[in-house]
Coordinates of all heavy atoms in Angstrom, one line a residue:
R630 N 52.7 0.4 -48.2 CA 53.1 1.5 -49.1 C 53.9 2.5 -48.4 O 53.8 2.8 -47.3 CB 51.8 2.1 -49.7 CG 52.1 3.3 -50.7 CD 50.8 3.9 -51.1 NE 51.0 5.1 -51.9 CZ 51.2 5.1 -53.2 NH1 51.2 4.0 -53.8 NH2 51.4 6.2 -53.8
H631 N 54.9 3.0 -49.2 CA 55.8 4.1 -48.7 C 54.9 5.4 -48.5 O 54.2 5.8 -49.4 CB 56.9 4.3 -49.6 CG 57.7 5.6 -49.2 ND1 58.5 5.6 -48.1 CD2 57.9 6.8 -49.9 CE1 59.1 6.8 -48.1 NE2 58.7 7.5 -49.1
I632 N 55.1 6.0 -47.4 CA 54.4 7.3 -47.1 C 55.3 8.4 -47.5 O 56.4 8.6 -46.9 CB 54.0 7.4 -45.6 CG1 53.1 6.2 -45.3 CG2 53.3 8.7 -45.3 CD1 52.7 6.2 -43.8
P633 N 55.0 9.3 -48.4 CA 55.8 10.4 -48.8 C 55.9 11.5 -47.7 O 55.0 11.6 -46.9 CB 55.2 11.0 -50.1 CG 53.7 10.6 -49.9 CD 53.7 9.3 -49.2
P634 N 57.0 12.3 -47.7 CA 57.1 13.4 -46.7 C 55.9 14.3 -46.9 O 55.5 14.7 -48.0 CB 58.4 14.1 -47.1 CG 59.2 13.0 -47.8 CD 58.2 12.2 -48.6
P635 N 55.3 14.7 -45.8 CA 54.1 15.5 -45.8 C 54.4 17.0 -46.1 O 55.5 17.5 -45.7 CB 53.4 15.3 -44.5 CG 54.6 15.1 -43.6 CD 55.6 14.3 -44.4
H636 N 53.5 17.7 -46.7 CA 53.5 19.1 -46.8 C 53.3 19.7 -45.4 O 52.7 19.1 -44.6 CB 52.5 19.6 -47.8 CG 52.6 21.1 -48.1 ND1 51.8 22.0 -47.5 CD2 53.3 21.8 -49.0 CE1 52.1 23.2 -47.9 NE2 53.0 23.1 -48.9
W637 N 53.8 20.9 -45.2 CA 53.7 21.5 -43.9 C 52.2 21.6 -43.4 O 51.9 21.5 -42.3 CB 54.3 22.9 -43.8 CG 53.6 24.0 -44.6 CD1 53.8 24.4 -45.8 CD2 52.5 24.8 -44.0 NE1 52.9 25.4 -46.2 CE2 52.1 25.6 -45.1 CE3 51.9 24.8 -42.8 CZ2 51.1 26.6 -45.0 CZ3 50.8 25.8 -42.7 CH2 50.5 26.6 -43.7
A638 N 51.3 21.9 -44.4 CA 49.9 22.0 -44.1 C 49.2 20.7 -43.7 O 48.2 20.7 -43.0 CB 49.1 22.7 -45.2
S639 N 49.8 19.6 -44.1 CA 49.2 18.3 -43.8 C 50.1 17.5 -42.8 O 50.0 16.3 -42.6 CB 49.0 17.4 -45.1 OG 50.3 17.3 -45.7
H640 N 51.1 18.2 -42.2 CA 51.9 17.6 -41.2 C 51.1 17.1 -40.0 O 50.2 17.8 -39.6 CB 53.0 18.6 -40.8 CG 54.2 17.9 -40.1 ND1 54.1 17.5 -38.7 CD2 55.4 17.5 -40.5 CE1 55.3 16.9 -38.4 NE2 56.1 16.9 -39.5
P641 N 51.4 16.0 -39.4 CA 50.6 15.5 -38.3 C 50.5 16.4 -37.1 O 49.5 16.6 -36.5 CB 51.3 14.2 -37.9 CG 52.0 13.7 -39.2 CD 52.4 15.0 -39.9
Y642 N 51.6 17.1 -36.8 CA 51.6 18.1 -35.7 C 50.7 19.3 -36.0 O 50.0 19.8 -35.1 CB 53.0 18.6 -35.4 CG 53.9 17.5 -34.9 CD1 55.3 17.4 -35.2 CD2 53.4 16.5 -34.0 CE1 56.1 16.4 -34.7 CE2 54.2 15.5 -33.5 CZ 55.6 15.5 -33.8 OH 56.3 14.5 -33.3
V643 N 50.7 19.7 -37.2 CA 49.9 20.9 -37.6 C 48.4 20.5 -37.5 O 47.6 21.2 -37.0 CB 50.2 21.4 -39.0 CG1 49.3 22.5 -39.5 CG2 51.7 21.9 -39.1

Side-chain angles (χ1 to χ4, degrees):
R630 177 185 174 84
H631 171 70
I632 300 176
H636 186 265
W637 70 268
S639 59
H640 196 280
Y642 292 142
V643 175

